[in-house]
Amino acid sequence: MSGSETGMGVRLVAGRYRLVRELGSGGMGVVWLAEDQLVGRQVAVKELRPPQGLADHDRELYARRALQEARSAARVHHPGAVELYDVRPATETDDAVYLIMELVAGPTLAEIIERGGPLPAPQVAAFGLQLLSVLDAAHAHGVVHRDIKPANIIISAGQAKLTDF
């Protein structure tokens, strides 16, 4: 298994982030619920691991793109954007890039729609205005999201939070 492990098979990233369980996965990687052992808080850890079978050049390109995602996310400071706390680049012993992020409790907009169908127009408009505010802040820093979809919007306490910059 790639990544750090303790003697009991528990994965520990960068000597401090204990992976607890998988929260979800997508085209670029896996998101884990993790415990930051240093400061004692729960975080989300996005593990961006290159697909098997890539040539060395393509693996390096994948790692560069993952770090670019981290740089983009780090420039966006807004209550409606999931905050990036830390980045752990690929190493000789672990080819994954790890993004350590704010853990947001709540379902994605995709999950809400799947369970309950279309949302009322006033709620959609409210979420849309919240997301426009986040995108305005991102664009002010030269960051373009490029993948806005219900699966990348987390609803927490009635507020929309955009992830996956």
Side-chain angles (χ1 to χ4, degrees):
M1 171 182 276
S2 296
S4 301
E5 291 187 43
T6 65
M8 308 242 328
V10 174
R11 288 186 63 196
L12 194 63
V13 173
R16 79 182 262 192
Y17 304 106
R18 182 178 59 82
L19 303 184
V20 176
R21 67 177 165 83
E22 185 177 320
L23 293 174
S25 61
M28 283 286 291
V30 178
V31 178
W32 299 89
L33 168 65
E35 176 75 24
D36 182 337
Q37 304 287 284
L38 184 62
V39 298
R41 70 176 165 193
Q42 289 188 323
V43 295
V45 173
K46 186 171 186 180
E47 178 182 16
L48 302 170
R49 186 172 303 284
Q52 295 290 73
L54 288 182
D56 288 344
H57 170 74
D58 292 331
R59 295 175 89 66
E60 291 170 17
L61 180 61
Y62 186 94
R64 280 197 305 270
R65 285 185 179 158
L67 288 175
Q68 180 57 42
E69 177 182 338
R71 287 184 189 104
S72 293
R75 289 195 307 255
V76 179
H77 299 284
H78 188 281
V82 174
E83 187 175 351
L84 179 71
Y85 296 142
D86 193 8
V87 178
R88 297 318 216 164
T91 64
E92 287 185 23
T93 58
D94 186 359
D95 61 356
V97 173
Y98 297 93
L99 308 183
I100 316 307
M101 302 174 293
E102 167 189 14
L103 179 66
V104 180
T108 66
L109 184 55
E111 292 167 339
I112 291 171
I113 293 168
E114 185 178 305
R115 284 194 308 256
L119 300 176
Q123 191 174 24
V124 171
F127 289 154
L129 288 173
Q130 291 169 19
L131 295 170
L132 284 174
S133 178
V134 175
L135 293 171
D136 186 46
H139 293 174
H141 288 59
V143 176
V144 178
H145 190 286
R146 300 187 200 280
D147 195 20
I148 297 175
K149 61 186 179 185
N152 287 340
I153 301 166
I154 301 171
I155 306 300
S156 180
Q159 298 295 306
K161 283 205 130 187
L162 189 56
T163 189
D164 256 3
F165 275 91

